[in-house]
Amino acid sequence: METWGCRYQFRIALLGEAAVGKTSLLRRYVAGAPGLETESEPEPTVGVEFYSRALQLTAGPRVKLQLWDTAGQERFRCITRSFYRNVVGVLLVFDVTNRKSFEHIPDWHQEVMSTQGPNKVIFLLVGHKSDLQSTRCVSTQEEEELAASLGMAFVETSAKNNCNVALAFDVLTTGIQQALQQGDIKLEEDWGGVRLIHRAQIPRSCSRKQHPGSCQC
């Protein structure tokens, strides 16, 4: 996706238990509806993988989203924890058919909060695999109550049906933009959560060599 004209870079992480669908959710968002294979589950993420996408904020600037797909397995937790301090947004993802993944959301939230500095981190609770209604074991009311108790919004999504995938990222990034405007998030040189992108740093002569979908802003 073309990313000329981006003003900011927002660094966002997806956190949650293994196999809740974080990778599928990210691939659906980055690739869009056409051409995405959803028949087979992706291989488990090892450590952290990176994706990016440009987004025009409603009544705001164009931004580059740097999206971190993190491993949910405990043996990779020491790797993923090292990234927490440099994120401005977090999607806390659980599987609506996996009760355990829902019950562990407060633990993921606390892990991030325990590493944060003065800047605010924007969270969104995401109930994934909403297409599997016949086997769901977490109610919408429970999701609403948990989100309220943690001070965040929530969205139900399905990568398979492409349901509310873009909405989830739109809600999160809008929250980040509002926090920037209100001064709850400030640009700091030693913090990677939000970066101001300077166009002068991008040599125009190299733009044709960029891989499709990479940031050129």
Side-chain angles (χ1 to χ4, degrees):
M1 176 177 290
E2 181 62 61
T3 55
W4 282 105
C6 295
R7 183 176 179 185
Y8 295 110
Q9 173 182 280
F10 294 166
R11 192 171 288 178
I12 294 169
L14 278 74
L15 302 180
E17 299 295 298
V20 297
K22 299 186 296 295
T23 300
S24 295
L25 192 65
L26 258 179
R27 289 182 179 178
R28 171 62 81 174
Y29 180 63
V30 172
L36 181 71
E37 296 297 332
T38 57
E39 295 302 319
S40 59
E41 289 292 325
E43 293 294 321
T45 302
V46 176
V48 179
E49 295 181 1
F50 302 91
Y51 298 78
S52 66
R53 176 173 168 171
L55 178 67
Q56 177 63 53
L57 298 179
T58 303
R62 185 173 172 84
V63 298
K64 174 190 174 184
L65 305 183
Q66 187 181 84
L67 305 164
W68 293 5
D69 182 16
T70 63
Q73 296 96 327
E74 179 63 35
R75 67 180 183 274
F76 296 120
R77 200 69 63 84
C78 62
I79 300 174
T80 57
R81 283 194 189 104
S82 66
F83 290 91
Y84 292 169
R85 188 180 182 277
N86 283 298
V87 298
V88 68
V90 175
L91 281 81
L92 295 174
V93 186
F94 69 95
D95 176 352
V96 299
T97 71
N98 181 338
R99 184 86 192 170
K100 181 180 176 181
S101 70
F102 174 72
E103 293 173 347
H104 285 181
I105 287 294
D107 300 330
W108 289 100
H109 179 259
Q110 181 55 40
E111 274 197 8
V112 176
M113 293 299 294
S114 66
T115 66
Q116 293 309 302
N119 271 317
K120 183 177 182 179
V121 177
I122 307 302
F123 291 89
L124 179 70
L125 181 64
V126 178
H128 193 41
K129 304 185 183 180
S130 61
D131 56 288
L132 302 177
Q133 288 297 321
S134 62
T135 54
R136 73 177 296 156
C137 56
V138 180
S139 70
T140 302
Q141 181 179 348
E142 289 175 304
E143 295 170 352
E144 290 176 342
E145 291 173 352
L146 178 60
S149 70
L150 297 176
M152 65 185 72
F154 92 95
V155 174
E156 286 195 348
T157 61
S158 168
K160 184 175 182 180
N161 294 346
N162 197 20
C163 178
N164 290 341
V165 174
L167 175 64
F169 289 90
D170 288 348
V171 170
L172 185 67
T173 52
T174 297
I176 295 170
Q177 173 64 10
Q178 290 173 348
L180 268 173
Q181 292 174 337
Q182 295 167 2
D184 294 328
I185 295 173
K186 297 180 176 64
L187 297 174
E188 297 179 0
E189 290 186 4
D190 62 344
W191 182 59
V194 178
R195 294 289 191 191
L196 181 63
I197 297 174
H198 300 285
R199 291 189 187 184
Q201 295 177 347
I202 305 302
R204 292 182 178 275
S205 60
C206 297
S207 62
R208 293 182 180 179
K209 298 179 182 180
Q210 295 285 342
H211 186 276
S214 61
C215 184
Q216 304 174 17
C217 44

